Amino acid sequence: MYLIPAGSRYTYVCTDIIHKFYVHFSMELFPGTDLFSRFDTFQVLPYSPELLGSILKELEKESIGGLLHLKAIFWQIIYDFFRKGTDGSDYLVLFRGFYRQKPVLDYLSSHLCANLRIQDLSTALNTPVHQLSRSFRQDTGQGLKEYMEQMLLQKARHLLLHTTMPVYQISESLGFSDPFYFSRFFKKAKGISPKDYRKQQF
């Protein structure tokens, strides 16, 4: 089994027939921060045919009990990958830092858009810009502007993958002045246009 971080590009070769079973998931620890966001390469675990058989069996049941059991199986797989990839201590430090920034995160979750500026946050939270930026970097290890862009990109990716909204509507909903600016923003971060990103995922 392979855990491939979202947005990764990869190739594989097989001289025989290959059957693939994909599961896409995200586990948000904080807005813009996924459980596996610190994994920069794919992870590998031994493959068990019995495990795949259990998954397929539960899928065929089409029952609430089957779905609950399926969820339990996936939680175990996620735990095994996480345990293999990290001891979790750095996540504890990260969690504490982000918790201290809860007012900032709450405001961003409610007001995030392309034209939101750090000055807007500063005014809303009644905190000087330099103090706000410095404390956020100290607590999270990230610049506030960088984090805001990361959250905006995550929201854009979600809308591209989970809605049928045209790109221009996504651009408008995220507060970009025009679709071309949105495309430039997205391509700079992902190396591919929003339209091509959507096509690539399906």
Side-chain angles (χ1 to χ4, degrees):
M1 291 189 295
Y2 296 89
L3 172 75
I4 305 169
S8 302
R9 294 184 180 184
Y10 63 94
T11 57
Y12 53 83
V13 177
C14 183
T15 57
D16 204 345
I17 295 175
I18 185 169
H19 296 281
K20 297 173 288 184
F21 184 88
Y22 283 102
V23 178
H24 179 269
F25 64 89
S26 60
M27 295 183 65
E28 196 173 65
L29 292 177
F30 321 99
T33 303
D34 189 83
L35 175 66
F36 292 99
S37 60
R38 294 195 163 191
F39 285 47
D40 54 2
T41 59
F42 66 87
Q43 304 287 322
V44 183
L45 283 177
Y47 166 69
S48 166
E50 292 78 19
L51 177 61
L52 181 56
S54 298
I55 291 171
L56 295 176
K57 183 179 177 182
E58 297 304 335
L59 282 172
E60 290 170 358
K61 284 182 180 177
E62 296 184 357
S63 67
I64 296 297
L67 288 174
L68 289 173
H69 189 204
L70 192 60
K71 192 168 185 178
I73 292 172
F74 286 138
W75 272 110
Q76 182 63 52
I77 293 170
I78 291 166
Y79 169 72
D80 290 341
F81 271 119
F82 183 79
R83 184 180 57 179
K84 178 182 183 295
T86 176
D87 64 4
S89 58
D90 58 335
Y91 279 85
L92 187 58
V93 173
L94 186 68
F95 181 82
R96 289 171 178 159
F98 271 93
Y99 187 79
R100 285 192 291 269
Q101 293 297 321
K102 191 174 184 302
V104 174
L105 300 181
D106 289 344
Y107 189 87
L108 287 177
S109 294
S110 303
H111 300 84
L112 184 69
C113 63
N115 55 17
L116 181 67
R117 300 290 175 260
I118 294 178
Q119 180 62 55
D120 302 325
L121 273 168
S122 170
T123 302
L125 300 175
N126 196 28
T127 307
V129 171
H130 68 279
Q131 183 180 330
L132 190 68
S133 298
R134 185 175 66 245
S135 68
F136 191 86
R137 183 177 289 279
Q138 286 174 345
D139 285 338
T140 69
Q142 285 183 273
L144 185 51
K145 184 174 185 296
E146 171 195 359
Y147 184 76
M148 289 164 66
E149 289 178 351
Q150 180 180 310
M151 282 187 68
L152 195 61
L153 179 65
Q154 181 171 307
K155 195 169 181 180
R157 286 173 54 197
H158 177 82
L159 291 172
L160 286 166
L161 296 181
H162 301 288
T163 74
T164 57
M165 291 170 62
V167 171
Y168 78 88
Q169 283 187 359
I170 293 176
S171 170
E172 288 175 3
S173 73
L174 295 176
F176 285 90
S177 55
D178 61 70
F180 300 104
Y181 178 36
F182 170 57
S183 291
R184 286 197 300 273
F185 164 80
F186 193 91
K187 191 167 186 177
K188 181 181 178 183
K190 301 302 296 178
I192 189 171
S193 72
K195 189 176 290 186
D196 289 341
Y197 178 82
R198 176 179 265 170
K199 287 178 182 176
Q200 190 182 72
Q201 304 302 313
F202 295 101

